[in-house]
């Protein structure tokens, strides 16, 4: 679980959940793909899907079933509207939740948007030895999550510990 001397590139998937965004308008997905590439990680696959819990679940379930995928980043569908269903779609797939991710995201988000952060249902967890992060759909929220949480925790050189450092031990039973 300790930091490594060398960078370990991860294979990551990005899913944008939206009823309105198209590939030309997906600024959140664009930001995440650009950022993970700049950090040295590899994009395994990127998709956009409508806010439908069963479609979201099917896409993510397919990705977590692939042995080469280390992580999935989902943006969108974490709010309170009637169509927002990312938590309901993904939580049944999780083997373990990572409560600290959502708690820390909301604490950091408070600095930017105040009490509106309590409407965020951002969360993360582990599913079939794959890290899954579910972020709000706004580009600013994705930037906050990447810059303040994901970039460092997805870097094996981050001290005192990081998520890639856990990968060899995820299958321990």
């Amino acid at each position: 679980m300790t930091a490594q001397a060398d960078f370990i590139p991860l294979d990551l998937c990005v899913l944008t959940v939206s009823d309105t965004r198209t590939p030309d308008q997906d600024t959140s997905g664009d930001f995440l793909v650009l950022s993970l590439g700049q950090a040295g990680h590899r994009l395994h696959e990127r998709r956009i899907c409508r806010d439908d819990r069963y479609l979201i679940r099917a896409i993510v379930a397919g990705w977590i079933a692939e042995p080469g995928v280390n992580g999935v980043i989902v943006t969108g569908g974490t709010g309170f509207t009637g169509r927002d269903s990312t938590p309901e779609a993904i939580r049944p797939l999780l083997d373990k939740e990572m409560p600290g991710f959502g708690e820390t995201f909301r604490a950091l988000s408070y600095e930017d948007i105040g009490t509106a952060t309590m409407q965020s249902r951002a969360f993360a967890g582990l599913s079939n030895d794959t890290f899954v992060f579910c972020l709000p759909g706004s580009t600013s929220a994705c930037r906050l999550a990447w810059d303040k949480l994901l970039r460092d925790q997805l870097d094996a050189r981050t001290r005192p510990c990081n998520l890639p450092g856990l990968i060899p031990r995820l299958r321990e039973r």
Side-chain angles (χ1 to χ4, degrees), residues 11-51:
D11 289 307
L12 304 170
C13 297
V14 174
L15 175 63
T16 299
V17 175
S18 175
D19 291 334
T20 59
R21 291 196 186 168
T22 65
D24 294 336
Q25 305 164 321
D26 184 16
T27 57
S28 296
D30 289 343
F31 171 79
L32 291 168
V33 168
L34 179 66
S35 297
L36 70 89
Q38 288 174 339
H41 300 295
R42 296 179 292 255
L43 178 66
H44 181 80
E45 188 175 353
R46 177 184 180 180
R47 305 247 329 245
I48 298 174
C49 77
R50 68 183 184 277
D51 209 327

Side-chain angles (χ1 to χ4, degrees), residues 112-164:
D112 292 337
I113 63 170
T115 58
T117 193
M118 70 180 163
Q119 295 179 35
S120 170
R121 298 190 299 152
F123 69 101
L126 187 66
S127 184
N128 195 31
D129 304 324
T130 304
F131 299 108
V132 179
F133 304 93
C134 298
L135 315 175
S138 76
T139 305
S140 61
C142 290
R143 184 174 291 108
L144 174 73
W146 181 264
D147 291 348
K148 302 283 186 169
L149 299 168
L150 295 177
R151 180 179 52 215
D152 289 342
Q153 275 302 294
L154 294 177
D155 188 332
R157 301 167 296 186
T158 298
R159 295 183 183 272
C161 59
N162 54 71
L163 295 174

